[in-house]
Amino acid sequence: MTTTRPHWIIIPGAGGVGLTWKAIAEKLDAVITPIPFADSVTEIAEGIAAQLPEHDGPHYIIGASSGAMVALELARLVRVDGCLFTASGFGIEVGDRLLRWLADDPPGIHTKIAKIGLADDGADRDKLDAVVADYDACGAELHVSQLSAIAHYRPDSGVRRPFSFVLWGDHDRSIPFEAHRVLAMECGGALVPLENCGHLVHVDRPDAVVAWARRLEALTTR
């Protein structure tokens, strides 16, 4: 069994630059890698792969929502021993109406999106403000670019993938339960339901994310 510390990569979901992932990243000694401007998920994954430092231990990826799609492609380019996915499916549907709304960037849009993503509809003001700040830091142009790339991405079925846990929040209003189940099945992994948790799993239940990341290490580190 290796004694090398696992190398964690966190790929946040579309709309964020990873500010809300900082506490989790510190606990896992992880590198936060937001989705950059690019025309396709393949191009995004290739860019991230090119920037990864050489590492003699296992790689682990946390992919949140759209970030999970990037993780699927990244796992085809570099060694990945396990993935932890949150709030995602095997492909994500992105409507033109949503893209137009994001591009228009009306006042209060980030607060509305944040409330939809949280289990308590933003009742916890500290959590709400943290999510809004992350969306503000990303901005409309990058958010639309990220989701446009995701909208055109369809992962290949039947490809051998790293063992994965898929965390599903029981208050997720963005990605249905069935989509989470299919992702877990395609990765030969396990679906993990989380109570009182919305689409922003890492904000609603950060301790659960860390705990399941540690379980993934224990199961897969050689």
Side-chain angles (χ1 to χ4, degrees):
M1 179 177 290
T2 182
T3 57
T4 304
R5 180 187 295 242
H7 180 201
W8 280 95
I9 303 160
I10 297 175
I11 307 177
V17 296
L19 299 182
T20 53
W21 282 95
K22 284 187 174 181
I24 291 174
E26 289 176 1
K27 291 180 179 180
L28 296 177
D29 194 24
V31 176
I32 300 173
T33 308
I35 301 173
F37 282 102
D39 293 328
S40 70
V41 170
T42 300
E43 183 180 332
I44 293 167
E46 289 174 346
I48 293 174
Q51 295 175 19
L52 290 178
E54 292 295 326
H55 195 270
D56 60 358
H59 287 92
Y60 292 91
I61 305 176
I62 296 178
S65 191
S66 296
M69 301 302 95
V70 177
L72 290 176
E73 284 301 302
L74 184 59
R76 301 174 72 164
L77 301 175
V78 300
R79 174 187 171 183
V80 175
D81 287 68
C83 292
L84 180 65
F85 297 129
T86 71
S88 196
F90 194 65
I92 296 176
E93 297 294 330
V94 181
D96 291 339
R97 183 177 179 181
L98 172 61
L99 291 175
R100 289 194 299 270
W101 183 49
L102 293 172
D104 289 342
D105 196 21
I109 184 174
H110 290 162
T111 298
K112 292 178 181 178
I113 297 173
K115 287 182 176 181
I116 292 171
L118 294 168
D120 63 4
D121 297 322
D124 186 324
R125 192 70 198 187
D126 289 339
K127 289 197 301 185
L128 179 64
D129 289 346
V131 175
V132 171
D134 201 2
Y135 286 141
D136 287 345
C138 178
E141 186 178 5
L142 178 55
H143 196 170
V144 172
S145 171
Q146 293 167 335
L147 284 180
S148 295
I150 297 300
H152 294 94
Y153 175 70
R154 294 295 179 270
D156 295 330
S157 184
V159 175
R160 184 174 181 178
R161 304 181 189 281
F163 179 82
S164 305
F165 287 132
V166 180
L167 307 187
W168 166 70
D170 62 351
H171 287 69
D172 191 333
R173 287 169 283 187
S174 299
I175 307 292
F177 170 82
E178 178 63 14
H180 289 77
R181 187 192 68 80
V182 173
L183 177 59
M185 180 182 67
E186 288 285 347
C187 294
L191 177 63
V192 181
L194 296 176
E195 295 182 348
N196 302 316
C197 186
H199 184 68
L200 299 172
V201 174
H202 66 292
V203 179
D204 279 329
R205 298 286 304 277
D207 291 344
V209 174
V210 173
W212 283 98
R214 294 305 188 199
R215 291 188 185 188
L216 185 64
E217 289 175 1
L219 283 174
T220 58
T221 300
R222 293 188 292 272

